[in-house]
Amino acid sequence: MFPNISFMDLLTLAILAVVLFGPDKLPEVIQNVVGFLRRVREFSESAKQEVRSELGPEFEDFEFEDLHPKTLIRKHVLDGDGLGIDEIRRALDPRAELSEVSDAVLGAADDRRDAAPAERRTPLPEETVDGPDAHAAFDPDAT
């Protein structure tokens, strides 16, 4: 329950309790504390059951511990949902869509170049480039 409490800490607390309450009242104090902890635990369990019942039958197996971020990631990403980190990265990667858009734009530009007469058409951005090191006015990443 308390992973950072050592044996010496527990021994110190026990000696302090005996000194404060005395050996006569110590069992009564321990019973009161244990009873209080039981009531708190029963109250929290009833509150959890009430929330589960209000959420509906599909959430009967819902555990509140699953809401902790580490548990949520471990359960849904790293374990058995079938989606790993690589699949999520690929699904969220916009480069595939951008390449489709740029291919469509470049394909339309090629169609326009073939269909329009040379004297009436406007020059394409890659035709207005002055040299091999100059950048085109069209930026496919900006679309």
Side-chain angles (χ1 to χ4, degrees):
M1 187 168 154
F2 298 105
N4 294 333
I5 296 180
S6 67
F7 178 73
M8 290 303 292
D9 293 338
L10 288 175
L11 184 64
T12 305
L13 287 174
I15 292 172
L16 184 64
V18 169
V19 169
L20 284 177
F21 299 111
D24 302 343
K25 291 188 177 182
L26 189 60
E28 182 182 331
V29 170
I30 291 173
Q31 285 177 347
N32 290 339
V33 169
V34 169
F36 175 75
L37 291 176
R38 280 190 188 132
R39 284 191 298 263
V40 168
R41 187 174 293 154
E42 289 171 2
F43 175 75
S44 69
E45 285 299 320
S46 67
K48 286 180 183 180
Q49 289 300 328
E50 185 176 333
V51 168
R52 284 187 188 113
S53 67
E54 292 293 325
L55 287 175
E58 62 270 4
F59 290 101
E60 286 180 0
D61 60 345
F62 175 72
E63 293 296 328
F64 288 91
E65 291 81 18
D66 292 342
L67 296 177
H68 191 277
K70 285 184 181 179
T71 309
L72 183 75
I73 289 172
R74 188 178 306 121
K75 182 176 180 182
H76 293 289
V77 175
L78 300 178
D79 286 345
D81 267 2
L83 285 178
I85 293 176
D86 293 332
E87 288 84 6
I88 291 173
R89 283 187 185 143
R90 274 188 249 125
L92 297 176
D93 190 12
R95 286 182 278 184
E97 293 177 19
L98 288 176
S99 66
E100 291 175 11
V101 170
S102 64
D103 289 344
V105 168
L106 292 177
D110 290 340
D111 293 344
R112 193 174 71 187
R113 183 181 300 136
D114 295 338
E119 64 273 2
R120 285 189 290 161
R121 68 180 172 92
T122 56
L124 293 174
E126 59 265 12
E127 292 175 346
T128 59
V129 175
D130 294 333
D133 295 332
H135 296 292
F138 176 72
D139 184 12
D141 292 335
T143 57

